[in-house]
Amino acid sequence: MSLISILISTVLFALIAPALGCLLAGLDRIVSARMQGRVGPPLLQPYYDVRKLLMKSDVSVGGADGVYVTCACVFTAFAGGIFFSGGNLLMSSFIVTLAGIFFIVAAYSSRSPFAEVGAARETLQVMAYEPMVILMTVAFYLAVGSFNASAAFDLDAPAFTRIWLVFLGFLFILTIKLRKSPFDLSYSHHAHQELVKGITTEMSGPTLAKVELMHWAENILFLGWVGIFFVWGGPATIAVGIAAALLAWFFEIWIDNNFARVKWQLMLKSAWAVTLVAGGLNIAWLMFL
């Protein structure tokens, strides 16, 4: 995979992924509203919200948070570019984690007590899901024979048939990655967030808009990780991967609307337990074979 193709893919991802993520965010609100017996906002309401944020002034205390959030957006785009160009899945996961670290530092830079508590919870969430993400990439390598996402198209059957237990574990921590209840501890789009807006409390205007754009792009990347479990044999199977990703996305919305938030201790223990059982057993089985 050449550097030029990765850079081109990164630019395309930075342009296309937020647009697709915006549509998914709008559809998320509508589906959630229907599950709760409401009509819901228009499909493009997330776009209207971000456009309004971009028109506002940035009134952050220090101003450094905007720089850190910008770095987080750049690394998120780079992670998506690597993955969707068929590049190294492990490298993509490491870079998107680096973007998350910049996001955490942005919250700490404000010195707000609410933002710092949100940043601490965000750090705990990274501790909870990162082991499963790493084991997911290792299992992908053992099943496919390469860390490159493009290698999945050389298989005779989807990787899911060999690492389905790892997939179930990844689906569990995907709830954390997509910021859905019961694991939306640090940053929630809903009114029940007891930390005002948690990690983004002191962010406003264009900085907060960049956070939303990054979140939309992340959602597309994570759903792409779901889809890579279900492709094989050629590009025609991409439709199967997209269908699986959309089913996982709908399942996460259902979880979000049917489970109350848990304490961080339960999140950490349950995530590590699932990682040990699902990831450990599946990888041990693959290595034995």
Side-chain angles (χ1 to χ4, degrees):
M1 188 61 60
S2 66
L3 179 61
I4 298 299
S5 61
I6 291 177
L7 292 177
I8 294 174
S9 181
T10 298
V11 173
L12 292 176
F13 179 82
L15 295 175
I16 298 174
L20 295 178
C22 177
L23 294 177
L24 282 181
L27 194 57
D28 186 334
R29 294 188 186 185
I30 294 174
V31 173
S32 296
R34 298 299 169 85
M35 288 183 177
Q36 299 169 12
R38 301 182 288 108
V39 175
L43 177 63
L44 294 181
Q45 187 61 47
Y47 163 73
Y48 300 142
D49 294 341
V50 169
R51 186 178 66 178
K52 183 168 64 175
L53 287 172
L54 290 172
M55 297 172 62
K56 292 185 175 181
S57 301
D58 192 344
V59 293
S60 61
V61 177
D65 55 349
V67 177
Y68 291 126
V69 170
T70 300
C71 292
C73 291
V74 171
F75 281 115
T76 299
F78 193 44
I82 292 175
F83 174 76
F84 284 103
S85 64
N88 194 299
L89 178 62
L90 181 62
M91 181 63 69
S92 177
S93 66
F94 283 159
I95 291 178
V96 80
T97 300
L98 180 60
I101 293 174
F102 271 101
F103 186 37
I104 292 171
V105 174
Y108 275 122
S109 68
S110 67
R111 309 308 301 170
S112 163
F114 290 110
E116 288 192 0
V117 173
R121 290 186 177 184
E122 183 76 12
T123 304
L124 288 169
Q125 291 182 187
V126 174
M127 292 172 58
Y129 68 66
E130 193 61 25
M132 188 66 242
V133 171
I134 294 175
L135 290 187
M136 181 268 291
T137 60
V138 173
F140 180 82
Y141 173 82
L142 292 174
V144 177
S146 173
F147 281 118
N148 289 339
S150 58
F153 294 101
D154 299 329
L155 298 174
D156 297 327
F160 174 80
T161 58
R162 301 191 65 191
I163 52 175
W164 60 271
L165 198 56
V166 165
F167 175 76
L168 294 179
F170 177 70
L171 203 62
F172 183 87
I173 63 99
L174 188 65
T175 308
I176 307 174
K177 300 286 281 182
L178 295 180
R179 305 187 181 280
K180 300 294 186 184
S181 184
F183 301 138
D184 56 338
L185 274 70
S186 68
Y187 172 40
S188 174
H189 292 84
H190 305 301
H192 62 241
Q193 173 62 269
E194 80 279 10
L195 292 174
V196 188
K197 283 292 288 182
I199 194 171
T200 59
T201 298
E202 298 300 325
M203 299 178 188
S204 62
T207 299
L208 192 56
K210 285 184 286 188
V211 171
E212 290 298 313
L213 292 172
M214 180 181 69
H215 179 55
W216 295 344
E218 283 180 337
N219 288 349
I220 298 300
L221 176 59
F222 301 150
L223 292 179
W225 290 356
V226 172
I228 202 65
F229 282 85
F230 297 91
V231 298
W232 79 99
T237 58
I238 292 178
V240 179
I242 293 175
L246 290 177
L247 284 175
W249 171 79
F250 181 81
F251 179 62
E252 294 295 341
I253 295 177
W254 180 82
I255 292 175
D256 186 43
N257 285 276
N258 286 277
F259 291 89
R261 177 184 297 169
V262 299
K263 295 183 178 180
W264 68 265
Q265 293 92 335
L266 181 57
M267 176 196 68
L268 196 62
K269 292 177 182 178
S270 60
W272 282 4
V274 169
T275 300
L276 179 64
V277 175
L281 289 180
N282 206 159
I283 289 178
W285 177 70
L286 286 173
M287 294 181 69
F288 176 76
L289 286 181

